[in-house]
Amino acid sequence: MRLLKLVPDNTNIGFVKIRFWCFAVTAILSILAVAAVATRGLNLGVDFVGGLLIEARFSQPPQLDKVRATIDGLKVGEGQLQQFGDPNTVSIRLPLPESSDEGATNAVVRTVQAALGKEDPGVVFNKAETVSGKVSGELIRNGILAVLLAMIGIAIFSWLRYEWQFGISTFVAIMHDVLMTLGFFAVTQMEFDLNIVAAVLTIVGYSINDKMVIDDRIRENMRKFRQMDMKSLIDLSVNETLPRTVMTSITIALALGALMIWGGHVLRGFTAAMLIGVVVGTYSSVYVSSSLLISLGLTARPPAPTKTAPGAGGAERIGPRG
């Protein structure tokens, strides 16, 4: 039986020769992602903005204007409504009541549920949760700090493990992956909560794992082919690791696709972030970070020097072997 090979043996794709096109595309997409976040903003969940979140699933697609009018008539604060996951599910975000005790919050939830139940007796309330403003501010700071420290720590590790060029290329690749994920959530306005922060950190880990495999092969080939042109060496290294990269990305995407379909609405945002991360992480590892090493001036090390031992034994190699 013939084995399935998604990537043929001995591929010889010239990734380096199109590096400037890839750099331009990466820069444009990164700028657009930053612009999307700056102009549209992220649809921050209750985890980050604080307040009361009620998720209601109606028996049929509701009219948002009618639902908003019903909630506004309750005098419980200005409600923000958004269809979530499917046309029947609506996310209702309300400010916390003036009284911060749990009884007041539960009273608001029961009031909203009773009012919507009169409009649609078949409505089901999936969840109701609250987060104080103080806690949400701490979560924002901690989430940003966690992502930044992860990126910086990984870049420093690459610098110490290889060369400084690898550290910079690693940071650029990871920054690109994070910006693409944030841009996706800004454009789609999917809710951005702590689950998405966990997804971003997972994307950082996946991206560095994929990149380390290629970097290790580049370093190995630098020792093996000391006289090879750096462009050819990087093309060789990326092509040698391409089957592993493609197979890993596809298998992860298949698992995430199943989770997206059958995992339920609670995991939908996390799964979407992971899928975006796998795609952009693979792209940045293959097309951006590896070729960026050339622009940063990385070169193969020259052969180790030799010394001539004194005496009649002729020339003897004293330096390290290999």
Side-chain angles (χ1 to χ4, degrees):
M1 183 180 67
R2 292 188 59 185
L3 298 177
L4 175 63
K5 291 186 178 181
L6 299 178
V7 179
D9 293 330
N10 301 320
T11 56
N12 188 25
I13 302 174
F15 296 102
V16 173
K17 67 181 180 182
I18 60 172
R19 67 186 186 279
F20 294 115
W21 288 101
C22 296
F23 293 164
V25 170
T26 300
I28 292 173
L29 290 178
S30 298
I31 292 172
L32 291 177
V34 173
V37 174
T39 55
R40 294 177 59 87
L42 297 172
N43 179 26
L44 297 177
V46 174
D47 293 335
F48 292 122
V49 297
L52 173 63
L53 177 66
I54 301 174
E55 190 175 293
R57 180 175 175 82
F58 294 82
S59 58
Q60 57 185 358
Q63 298 180 9
L64 292 184
D65 291 339
K66 187 176 181 180
V67 175
R68 184 177 290 104
T70 299
I71 294 176
D72 290 342
L74 301 176
K75 306 300 181 181
V76 293
E78 183 179 355
Q80 299 181 14
L81 277 64
Q82 182 180 15
Q83 287 183 316
F84 180 77
D86 60 77
N88 289 19
T89 303
V90 176
S91 174
I92 306 168
R93 189 180 300 162
L94 295 169
L96 289 174
E98 294 181 1
S99 177
S100 59
D101 61 83
E102 186 176 352
T105 301
N106 291 336
V108 172
V109 173
R110 289 193 297 268
T111 301
V112 173
Q113 291 177 345
L116 295 181
K118 294 179 181 179
E119 300 289 338
D120 183 355
V123 65
V124 177
F125 297 93
N126 294 328
K127 66 178 181 180
E129 57 186 20
T130 61
V131 176
S132 68
K134 180 179 179 181
V135 173
S136 64
E138 293 177 354
L139 291 176
I140 291 176
R141 290 192 298 272
N142 292 340
I144 295 174
L145 185 62
V147 174
L148 288 178
L149 288 179
M151 294 170 55
I152 295 173
I154 290 174
I156 292 175
F157 171 80
S158 296
W159 186 340
L160 299 177
R161 174 66 177 84
Y162 303 107
E163 304 285 346
W164 65 268
Q165 290 94 337
F166 288 91
I168 294 178
S169 66
T170 296
F171 184 83
V172 170
I174 295 177
M175 177 64 75
H176 164 264
D177 300 344
V178 172
L179 287 178
M180 291 300 99
T181 305
L182 295 179
F184 169 80
F185 277 88
V187 171
T188 61
Q189 286 295 292
M190 294 180 66
E191 186 173 347
F192 193 93
D193 54 19
L194 282 180
N195 288 333
I196 310 305
V197 175
V200 171
L201 291 173
T202 307
I203 290 168
V204 171
Y206 170 81
S207 180
I208 190 59
N209 176 70
D210 198 31
K211 190 177 183 308
M212 284 296 178
V213 172
I214 299 176
D215 287 350
D216 270 330
R217 185 57 59 90
I218 292 174
R219 288 283 291 168
E220 179 182 339
N221 286 336
M222 286 173 63
R223 292 191 296 266
K224 187 185 301 183
F225 307 107
R226 295 181 182 275
Q227 302 300 325
M228 180 180 288
D229 178 69
M230 202 62 198
K231 296 179 181 178
S232 301
L233 190 146
I234 288 180
D235 274 341
L236 173 65
S237 302
V238 175
N239 279 284
E240 286 179 343
T241 57
L242 192 60
R244 182 264 182 201
T245 299
V246 172
M247 285 299 298
T248 301
S249 300
I250 290 179
T251 52
I252 293 177
L254 289 175
L256 292 173
L259 194 61
M260 174 73 78
I261 297 173
W262 294 291
H265 65 277
V266 176
L267 295 176
R268 187 165 289 116
F270 177 88
T271 309
M274 285 296 301
L275 277 172
I276 294 297
V278 168
V279 173
V280 299
T282 302
Y283 161 78
S284 64
S285 297
V286 173
Y287 286 96
V288 179
S289 64
S290 300
S291 298
L292 186 59
L293 295 172
I294 297 176
S295 300
L296 294 174
L298 182 67
T299 57
R301 294 184 178 181
T306 59
K307 296 181 180 179
T308 303
E316 178 185 356
R317 183 180 178 85
I318 304 299
R321 296 182 181 272

